[in-house]
Amino acid sequence: MNAKILPEGYTAHFSGHETFPLRQMWLKKAFDQSVQAGTVPKSTFTAENAIAEFGVGKNMVASIRHWALACDVLRDTSPSEYSISPIANEIFRDGGLDPYSENPSTAWYVHWWLAGKGNRATTWYWLFNHVTAPSFTRDDLEAPLADFARTLDPKRKLSTSTLSRDIDTCLRSYAPRSGAGTPEDFAEPMLGELGLISEEHKSHFAFRRGPKATLDDGIFAFALLDFWDNSAKGLSSLAFEAIAYGEGSPGRVFKLDEDSVAQRLLALGDLTNNALSWTDTAGLRQVHRKKTVTDEFKMSMIAKAYD
């Protein structure tokens, strides 16, 4: 149930965002820099006109690049250019599924890349998969995160300030600051709408566990299949306990309670035309997967989330 989900050779990331949480329009800004054949020159983010092109300061341009890579909008495929991922093209192109990130499914998809896969977002992955306390302070997180970082890369030296800034950026991605400041400083972060973390009182945070009304079954099914491929590839069935409680599972990453997971698994048959099906016999609760469930099928679940 707690099999290691992070891939062999995983590189831990605790910086790159310049302490700016992801804003709603930033992924579109990065996507719109694409040129022929769906590529973005790396120089786009460092050129003298980048500040004018993106309409933000230099550090925010670097942050936009970081988030575009972390959320699989851009892929680092060559020394001179980034490529646009196929799903990003479907979502963010003009006339696409959700070019301006107005549909909650886009934010849930982004959250999966960060907290479910830990893509350039190790603190996000650790927070949602390894912190079991229902409430916590930022200070509570620093020493355990440092321990986790050492298990990933014992030789790497990370400063306390780097981890502290990453924790703060992660928490503010879901529970933004309130108070005075420039509009850009306190713009609503993209993940704030998901209702996954709340600030109960100053510097005290809590997970919001339970049903998630804005989480579409299509995103849940995509995440389930992605988790399945990462943790139990080749198996034709997966136990309820793994889906609800396993490291990197939809249950953990989306903070769903047991009843909410069960309801979504019951709906899989209708959603997938029985390519995925739920059984509960003799106390054995599991999801079955037909051989017809390919990567292409998994990606088709994304499109269903925008129907």
Side-chain angles (χ1 to χ4, degrees):
M1 192 169 74
N2 283 301
K4 184 181 177 185
I5 303 302
L6 293 173
E8 200 69 36
Y10 173 80
T11 301
H13 279 262
F14 298 96
S15 60
H17 43 62
E18 305 291 333
T19 72
F20 296 112
L22 174 62
R23 306 296 205 284
Q24 181 180 359
M25 289 302 299
W26 281 7
L27 299 180
K28 175 65 170 169
K29 281 178 183 279
F31 178 88
D32 281 350
Q33 300 302 315
S34 59
V35 293
Q36 288 182 343
T39 60
V40 176
K42 290 186 176 180
S43 60
T44 300
F45 298 93
T46 54
E48 288 185 12
N49 68 339
I51 293 172
E53 184 68 36
F54 285 94
V56 297
K58 182 179 178 182
N59 287 357
M60 283 191 179
V61 173
S63 187
I64 289 171
R65 175 179 58 190
H66 166 81
W67 289 120
L69 287 164
C71 301
D72 196 44
V73 173
L74 301 181
R75 293 178 177 176
D76 196 351
T77 50
S78 87
S80 61
E81 61 189 19
Y82 301 114
S83 61
I84 299 286
S85 74
I87 290 184
N89 186 59
E90 290 301 308
I91 294 173
F92 294 107
R93 61 182 167 80
D94 291 339
L97 295 171
D98 186 30
Y100 301 107
S101 302
E102 296 166 315
N103 190 312
S105 288
T106 305
W108 283 111
Y109 174 72
V110 162
H111 172 69
W112 179 253
W113 268 94
L114 302 175
K117 299 168 77 71
N119 195 50
R120 294 177 181 253
T122 305
T123 296
W124 277 248
Y125 179 88
W126 172 79
L127 179 65
F128 280 86
N129 287 288
H130 288 263
V131 176
T132 55
S135 61
F136 45 85
T137 66
R138 190 182 72 177
D139 291 345
D140 292 337
L141 303 177
E142 289 187 5
L145 177 60
D147 290 342
F148 181 69
R150 280 191 288 271
T151 66
L152 293 175
D153 190 350
K155 295 179 181 179
R156 185 176 174 189
K157 301 295 183 187
L158 284 165
S159 71
T160 302
S161 59
T162 296
L163 294 179
S164 179
R165 284 193 297 268
D166 206 40
I167 289 169
D168 191 56
T169 305
C170 179
L171 292 173
R172 295 305 175 189
S173 293
Y174 298 92
R177 288 188 187 93
S178 57
T182 68
E184 190 64 45
D185 282 342
F186 299 103
E188 180 73 13
M190 184 177 184
L191 300 173
E193 68 183 84
L194 301 183
L196 287 164
I197 297 175
S198 60
E199 188 169 13
E200 304 291 274
H201 48 95
K202 187 171 174 58
S203 298
H204 284 73
F205 299 88
F207 289 122
R208 288 180 178 169
R209 191 171 175 82
K212 301 294 186 291
T214 61
L215 174 61
D216 190 272
D217 285 340
I219 296 292
F220 176 86
F222 168 82
L224 169 60
L225 290 169
D226 204 29
F227 167 68
W228 199 324
D229 289 341
N230 290 334
S231 64
K233 194 170 182 66
L235 294 186
S236 60
S237 62
L238 197 61
F240 175 83
E241 287 74 20
I243 298 166
Y245 302 113
E247 180 177 335
S249 68
R252 272 207 205 187
V253 173
F254 296 141
K255 294 300 168 197
L256 299 168
D257 59 69
E258 194 166 301
D259 287 346
S260 300
V261 174
Q263 287 175 5
R264 290 183 182 273
L265 296 180
L266 279 167
L268 283 176
D270 288 340
L271 180 74
T272 66
N273 199 24
N274 291 318
L276 298 173
S277 57
W278 164 252
T279 59
D280 183 357
T281 54
L284 189 62
R285 300 183 294 174
Q286 53 189 1
V287 175
H288 298 272
R289 172 179 184 163
K290 288 184 177 178
K291 290 183 179 179
T292 53
V293 176
T294 60
D295 283 346
E296 188 176 345
F297 179 90
K298 182 169 76 175
M299 300 310 170
S300 74
M301 293 295 101
I302 298 286
K304 280 186 176 289
Y306 295 93
D307 284 349

